[in-house]
Amino acid sequence: MNSGDILSKLALCFSSSEVFFRRAYGEDGVFCYCCATVLTLVFILLCQIIRKVRFFRQDSSSPSSSSPAVSASQSLSSQSRISTLVSDEDLKDLIEKLGERSDDDTEIWEDVIQKSNPRVSYTAKCCKPQDGGPVKYLSTTVFENCSPEVLRDFYMDNEYRKQWDKTVVEHEQLQVDSSSGIEIGRTIKKFPLLTPREYVLAWRLWEGKDKFYCFIKECEHSRVPQQRKYVRVSYFRSGWRIRKVPGRDACEIHMFHQEDAGLNVEMAKLAFSRGIWSYVCKMDSALRKYIATSRRPQGPTVSAVSLMKKVPSELENQTDDITDSSGTMHTGEGAERKKLLRKPTKKQVAKGLLLVGGAVGSAVCLSRGHSALGAKVALAYFLTKLRKRGAQQSQTSQNAGI
């Protein structure tokens, strides 16, 4: 007797029984309804069990699960796709960003923070893209009494990060491509009053002459479909260079970062400027414990660090930006002279006049009829900007002359 016959006989029994469906009168009726309820629950349970048995039989007899050729081809296609996620072109683009050799004259960078103590110093600036994309950040952190190799291992030790970085609540390695050295992982971060953010990222490391590079970007992976309880970060571009500070027992990490975590731009900038220095100090304390205990990297033995590639020779020869003893970033001398000799174009002059006109017009409109007061406010604002720009150009000219 198969499962279909069992179900049909049970249904016939329930439908033909007068006792089962008779109306309740007195104590016998109450007892009858209790029995009917129990029998109904048993019937539903049997139906669910039989349905699951059928499902597992079909699944075990399906050709996809029994065919190793199909799974092998899927694995090969997955590996080939992973090997192209992070390339040497991404490294080239990262080196240009860290060297601040962008040809985009519309990018305006503003200083965010500059802090230091005897053990660590931190400087950062940001730029809001004209196309409305996520805010770009450039930062330099200098750690005293630390080697580049230790700082690299510390940054890449995600298991240890879960101990000192309380925003990281979960991290797992998803896949590693041994041929390209690319690693894919998933991280869950929890922030106060916000839905947890989910990061599915691919990264790769390169080793150069006395320096290390890492580039990280967002990706998708079949093992981690999107879930409603997390906000998947849809755009993530980040990279760093770690190297020894010349003439000092210190090393620096120079970082470019840009991500879209679904936050308001101004709110994200405010949170960054207010909280980043506390985070850096906490990171420095964790680094000192990492050094004192001579910790070895935890987690998987095969990772992007163990599969690190060499920087291509054509990229190794590119001139990087120089960081002085105070941790302040400076571009190369040639780039600085090029900026000094560059003449303003007609387009830039027009934009300047438009900015002035807009500032005056906005001040007059906001004054609600008090045009004289609005004009004075706009004029004072414009003169302050001119004075600051003039002082900066004068200082730059003096430095170039020296």
Side-chain angles (χ1 to χ4, degrees):
M1 182 180 295
N2 57 26
S3 58
D5 295 335
I6 295 174
L7 288 176
S8 60
K9 287 183 178 298
L10 285 172
L12 182 62
C13 176
F14 288 160
S15 61
S16 60
S17 176
E18 296 179 359
V19 177
F20 186 82
F21 288 104
R22 72 181 182 182
R23 299 183 62 180
Y25 289 105
E27 294 180 356
D28 294 339
V30 173
F31 176 75
C32 178
Y33 273 120
C34 291
C35 293
T37 303
V38 172
L39 289 175
T40 304
L41 292 175
V42 171
F43 175 72
I44 294 173
L45 180 62
L46 286 174
C47 291
Q48 293 295 328
I49 293 174
I50 293 171
R51 183 178 300 176
K52 288 188 177 182
V53 169
R54 283 181 177 178
F55 172 78
F56 284 119
R57 284 180 179 177
Q58 292 176 358
D59 185 65
S60 60
S61 61
S62 62
S64 59
S65 61
S66 60
S67 175
V70 175
S71 60
S73 62
Q74 290 176 351
S75 177
L76 289 174
S77 62
S78 176
Q79 290 290 340
S80 61
R81 183 184 65 84
I82 290 174
S83 62
T84 60
L85 283 176
V86 183
S87 64
D88 289 340
E89 285 298 318
D90 293 315
L91 174 61
K92 180 182 178 181
D93 185 58
L94 173 64
I95 292 175
E96 291 178 354
K97 284 183 170 65
L98 295 179
E100 303 177 61
R101 291 193 291 269
S102 176
D103 294 330
D104 190 357
D105 296 333
T106 62
E107 288 190 345
I108 301 175
W109 290 84
E110 59 179 279
D111 295 332
V112 177
I113 187 175
Q114 183 171 356
K115 295 275 190 178
S116 65
N117 63 34
R119 299 193 310 181
V120 61
S121 65
Y122 181 81
T123 59
K125 57 184 180 179
C126 69
C127 171
K128 188 176 181 180
Q130 298 293 327
D131 58 2
V135 176
K136 300 177 182 179
Y137 289 93
L138 273 174
S139 66
T140 298
T141 313
V142 178
F143 296 94
E144 302 293 333
N145 305 317
C146 180
S147 68
E149 291 79 11
V150 171
L151 185 59
R152 177 205 64 197
D153 292 342
F154 170 76
Y155 253 82
M156 300 307 299
D157 196 337
N158 291 299
E159 293 301 319
Y160 182 60
R161 182 179 290 271
K162 288 192 294 184
Q163 300 179 24
W164 65 266
D165 188 351
K166 298 307 179 184
T167 64
V168 178
V169 296
E170 185 180 343
H171 177 81
E172 62 176 325
Q173 183 190 78
L174 298 176
Q175 198 168 353
V176 179
D177 181 35
S178 57
S179 61
S180 63
I182 296 174
E183 182 178 356
I184 299 178
R186 170 179 174 266
T187 302
I188 303 297
K189 289 188 176 184
K190 182 70 175 71
F191 303 98
L193 306 177
L194 294 175
T195 304
R197 263 50 181 176
E198 182 183 39
Y199 296 80
V200 180
L201 306 173
W203 59 89
R204 180 180 174 187
L205 274 75
W206 294 264
E207 181 179 7
K209 185 179 179 181
D210 302 324
K211 62 178 74 74
F212 302 100
Y213 290 97
C214 178
F215 185 76
I216 313 165
K217 67 194 304 184
E218 84 288 342
C219 69
E220 297 293 332
H221 199 276
S222 58
R223 286 179 54 186
V224 283
Q226 293 195 27
Q227 304 178 55
R228 289 186 177 181
K229 60 181 179 179
Y230 301 127
V231 174
R232 176 73 62 87
V233 175
S234 59
Y235 185 89
F236 190 97
R237 295 289 189 279
S238 185
W240 47 254
R241 182 199 62 224
I242 293 177
R243 68 176 181 182
K244 181 177 175 59
V245 176
R248 289 169 55 190
D249 182 18
C251 65
E252 66 167 22
I253 177 166
H254 190 26
M255 179 178 289
F256 170 83
H257 187 84
Q258 185 181 21
E259 75 169 277
D260 184 5
L263 300 175
N264 177 272
V265 174
E266 297 302 325
M267 183 188 300
K269 287 173 61 178
L270 179 62
F272 177 84
S273 61
R274 295 295 177 88
I276 188 60
W277 176 239
S278 175
Y279 182 83
V280 170
C281 292
K282 190 174 183 179
M283 181 192 301
D284 178 68
S285 299
L287 174 62
R288 303 306 164 184
K289 293 180 182 179
Y290 194 85
I291 297 174
T293 55
S294 300
R295 299 180 68 99
R296 292 181 175 270
Q298 302 177 14
T301 55
V302 180
S303 64
V305 177
S306 63
L307 301 172
M308 188 163 37
K309 302 298 181 181
K310 293 289 184 180
V311 174
S313 57
E314 62 271 14
L315 298 180
E316 182 70 56
N317 297 327
Q318 290 191 13
T319 304
D320 294 332
D321 56 293
I322 301 172
T323 304
D324 64 11
S325 58
S326 63
T328 306
M329 294 178 289
H330 298 282
T331 55
E333 184 180 355
E336 189 66 32
R337 287 181 179 177
K338 183 178 178 181
K339 289 182 180 179
L340 289 173
L341 295 175
R342 185 184 296 158
K343 294 181 179 180
T345 62
K346 293 181 179 179
K347 185 177 181 180
Q348 291 172 334
V349 173
K351 286 184 178 179
L353 292 175
L354 182 61
L355 177 63
V356 175
V360 174
S362 300
V364 171
C365 292
L366 290 174
S367 63
R368 291 182 177 270
H370 301 282
S371 57
L373 178 60
K376 288 179 181 179
V377 172
L379 183 60
Y381 174 82
F382 179 58
L383 290 176
T384 303
K385 287 292 184 182
L386 283 180
R387 187 173 69 253
K388 289 183 179 179
R389 182 170 297 181
Q392 290 176 357
Q393 291 179 350
S394 176
Q395 184 67 26
T396 305
S397 301
Q398 291 177 4
N399 294 336
I402 293 174

